[in-house]
């Protein structure tokens, strides 16, 4: 059953009236016309026991008392006790069009009744249909695709292709970037929390200064392509025609090419269009275009990681890199590509794709009939339900509401993002931008969950709320999220 809640652009009035006064009453969670089926699995206690004794210790669920989720519908999740939660994190930016979307479910079900799997030793129609559909969304000569199963696999293959195609070895990525956790992609991921002490992980990898207008050395109120700017002072003109921070960060990147790389011999550079795990970090305007030009001038190719920022999520464009005014040489994607079904892709030019013909390369499940059918349905839903447009309209309303909360609460140091890819950074001091202590962040996060709003956490210090919901959310959901945050921040305001 499809949820019948539709966008109501007047629903934020309740939030606007609540931000100026105490919010003693808990906000009411929006209604929906879906009733979750009864939970019939193992008891909560048994699940906890299995978690502790049968799964590896790195599998650690969110929250002090982890949720046992057993059902989902569109933007909603339901626990074993039947309680409803608004999923404002989208299964870690994975559920793009909605949990158990009826059209995607129907496509998967129909394909399951027809053909599960053959591998690509035989042709089957769905991989070819999907290859044509997804490459049609790409600009320029990005017309060849290789399907994999995850974002880590996609970036792993992109690293291989960059090195094969250019004949060079060194790869550049940003500090604070996350590109995967495989033995190869762990090297281009630049968070100490995601890196194991293994030999060779950083072989040929250089991490550039992260061009972060909020926490970085330079940046201010005119540097981002967003309705949400930093509150730092800025050297840039108010009209946004130029960006001083871009030039300074670019100068630092040039120094890496000058001192740390073989002259003219770089394989490539990876960049997320907006950093995801790192805390929804946006770069200064114009920086990525200049960086891509520098990489190509030195023999390399530019790889856009669209695992989290693609498929209309940023609102203005279908692909995040389009917001930077570039056409990459390779694009990697996963997560939202399958709405939760395991699929990823590497999309590139015919010239670069040719490098994979030098030896056998094979992925048993890449582009399988089930994944391809789901991928086609996801593209259909994004187009038919105008979810890119919804991301822009509803996401902009959410950003503006968060900016109002920032005026009210000093611990909101920064609000940033585009469309429905949003970050809220919590700080102890706005002047020093020192991160809010972990216990305080967790307390706010936990209490939002108790009200019924599920948020992600990111950034190196875990002090950034990552708000990246299914793109089907509406303004009722936005108002509820803002009211919940307002209520929690007000109730906790005496603790910091």
């Amino acid at each position: 059953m499809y949820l019948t809640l539709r966008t109501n652009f007047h629903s934020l009035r309740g939030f606007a009236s609540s931000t100026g006064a105490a919010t003693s009453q808990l906000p009411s969670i929006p209604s929906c016309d879906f009733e979750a089926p009864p939970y019939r699995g193992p008891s909560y206690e048994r699940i906890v026991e299995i978690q502790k004794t049968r799964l590896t210790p790195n599998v650690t669920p969110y929250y002090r008392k982890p949720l046992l989720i057993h059902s989902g519908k569109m933007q909603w999740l339901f626990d074993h006790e039947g309680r409803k939660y608004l999923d404002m994190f989208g299964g870690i930016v994975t559920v793009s069009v909605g949990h158990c979307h009826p059209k995607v479910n129907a496509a998967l079900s129909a394909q399951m009744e027809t053909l599960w799997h053959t591998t690509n030793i035989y042709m089957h129609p769905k991989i070819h249909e999907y290859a044509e559909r997804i490459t049609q969304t790409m600009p320029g000569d990005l017309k060849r695709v290789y399907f994999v199963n995850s974002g880590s696999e996609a970036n792993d293959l992109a690293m291989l292709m960059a090195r094969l195609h250019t004949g060079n070895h060194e790869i550049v990525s940003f500090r604070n970037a996350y590109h995967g956790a495989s033995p190869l992609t762990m090297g281009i991921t630049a968070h100490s929390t995601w890196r194991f002490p293994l030999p060779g992980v950083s072989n040929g990898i250089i991490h550039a200064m992260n061009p972060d207008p909020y926490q970085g050395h330079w940046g201010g109120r005119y540097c981002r392509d967003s309705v949400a700017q930093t509150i730092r002072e800025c050297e840039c003109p108010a009209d946004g025609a130029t960006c001083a921070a871009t030039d300074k960060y670019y100068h630092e990147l040039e120094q890496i090419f000058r001192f740390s790389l073989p002259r003219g011999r770089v394989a490539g550079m990876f960049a997320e269009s907006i950093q995801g795990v790192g805390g929804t970090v946006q770069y200064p305007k114009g920086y990525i275009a200049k960086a891509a030009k520098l990489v190509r001038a030195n023999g390399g190719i530019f790889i856009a990681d669209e695992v989290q920022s693609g498929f209309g999520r940023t609102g203005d464009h279908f692909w995040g890199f389009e917001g930077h005014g570039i056409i990459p040489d390779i694009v990697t994607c996963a997560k939202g590509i399958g709405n939760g079904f395991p699929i990823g892709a590497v999309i590139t030019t015919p010239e670069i794709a040719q490098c994979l013909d030098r030896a056998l390369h094979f992925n048993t499940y890449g582009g399988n009939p089930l994944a391809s059918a789901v991928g086609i349905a996801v593209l259909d839903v994004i187009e038919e339900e105008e979810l890119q447009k919804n991301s822009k309209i509803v996401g902009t309303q959410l950003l503006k509401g968060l900016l109002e909360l920032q005026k009210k609460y000093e611990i909101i140091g920064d609000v940033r993002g585009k469309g429905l890819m949003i970050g809220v950074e919590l700080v102890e001091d706005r002047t020093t931008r020192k991160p809010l202590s972990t216990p305080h962040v967790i307390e706010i996060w936990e209490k939002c969950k108790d009200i019924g709003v599920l948020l992600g956490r990111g950034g190196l210090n875990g002090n950034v709320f990552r708000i990246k919901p299914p793109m089907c959310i509406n303004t009722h959901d936005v108002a509820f999220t803002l009211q919940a945050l307002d209520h929690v921040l007000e109730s906790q305001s005496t603790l910091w």
Side-chain angles (χ1 to χ4, degrees), residues 72-351:
K73 192 67 173 178
M74 302 307 285
Q75 63 267 52
W76 302 103
L77 290 172
F78 302 83
D79 70 14
H80 68 295
E81 296 177 333
R83 187 173 180 197
K84 181 176 66 175
Y85 299 88
L86 178 60
D87 182 8
M88 293 299 286
F89 196 26
I92 314 185
V93 208
T94 297
V95 179
S96 51
V97 303
H99 294 279
C100 298
H101 190 287
K103 182 157 188 167
V104 180
N105 280 9
L108 179 59
S109 179
Q111 187 58 49
M112 288 174 67
E113 296 296 328
T114 305
L115 178 68
W116 273 51
H117 183 69
T118 66
T119 307
N120 297 324
I121 57 173
Y122 309 114
M123 291 191 295
H124 61 86
K126 288 302 177 186
I127 188 175
H128 296 82
E129 294 172 29
Y130 188 35
E132 185 172 51
R133 283 289 304 278
I134 196 166
T135 53
Q136 285 172 349
T137 69
M138 288 286 170
D141 206 21
L142 292 166
K143 299 304 179 190
R144 296 296 180 93
V145 58
Y146 189 91
F147 293 110
V148 292
N149 306 293
S150 72
S152 290
E153 281 190 37
N155 285 330
D156 199 305
L157 179 59
M159 292 177 70
L160 173 68
M161 294 174 75
R163 285 167 167 163
L164 287 174
H165 173 71
T166 64
N168 302 329
H169 186 66
E170 272 72 18
I171 290 176
V172 179
S173 67
F174 290 131
R175 300 170 197 162
N176 199 57
Y178 180 88
H179 296 288
S182 69
L184 270 183
T185 58
M186 194 186 301
I188 52 174
T189 290
H191 279 240
S192 58
T193 49
W194 290 93
R195 291 169 68 90
F196 287 94
L198 299 173
V201 165
S202 298
N203 182 21
I205 306 296
I206 303 291
H207 296 143
M209 177 183 287
N210 196 39
D212 180 352
Y214 180 65
Q215 286 287 2
H217 289 311
W218 307 287
R221 63 179 68 251
Y222 303 120
C223 294
R224 291 183 186 140
D225 175 25
S226 173
V227 299
Q229 300 289 346
T230 76
I231 58 175
R232 295 175 67 180
E233 291 303 317
C234 193
E235 300 177 40
C236 307
D239 63 7
T242 60
C243 181
T246 288
D247 294 336
K248 291 178 178 180
Y249 285 117
Y250 179 74
H251 175 74
E252 291 299 314
L253 182 63
E254 283 184 312
Q255 301 313 299
I256 285 179
F257 281 80
R258 184 179 180 188
F259 293 105
S260 302
L261 293 168
R263 182 166 296 179
R265 295 295 304 273
V266 65
M269 180 174 183
F270 277 78
E272 302 162 87
S273 295
I274 297 176
Q275 288 180 342
V277 173
T280 320
V281 174
Q282 287 182 275
Y283 317 120
K285 291 176 289 188
Y287 176 91
I288 289 294
K290 295 184 72 171
K293 185 176 180 180
L294 178 64
V295 171
R296 288 165 175 158
N298 282 272
I301 62 176
F302 188 83
I303 302 105
D305 182 335
E306 293 285 322
V307 170
Q308 296 191 29
S309 57
F311 295 91
R313 179 163 292 278
T314 60
D316 284 333
H317 304 93
F318 194 84
W319 298 106
F321 64 76
E322 294 176 288
H324 296 288
I326 66 165
I327 299 177
D329 301 293
I330 294 178
V331 178
T332 61
C333 46
K335 288 187 178 286
I337 188 176
N339 199 47
F341 197 93
I343 181 173
V346 179
I347 305 169
T348 189
T349 66
E351 181 185 5

Side-chain angles (χ1 to χ4, degrees), residues 420-442:
L420 287 172
M421 189 159 186
I422 296 171
V424 178
E425 184 156 353
L426 304 181
V427 296
E428 289 187 5
D429 184 286
R430 281 190 176 178
T431 302
T432 64
R433 302 185 295 281
K434 180 181 178 182
L436 187 66
S437 65
T438 299
H440 287 323
V441 175
I442 289 178

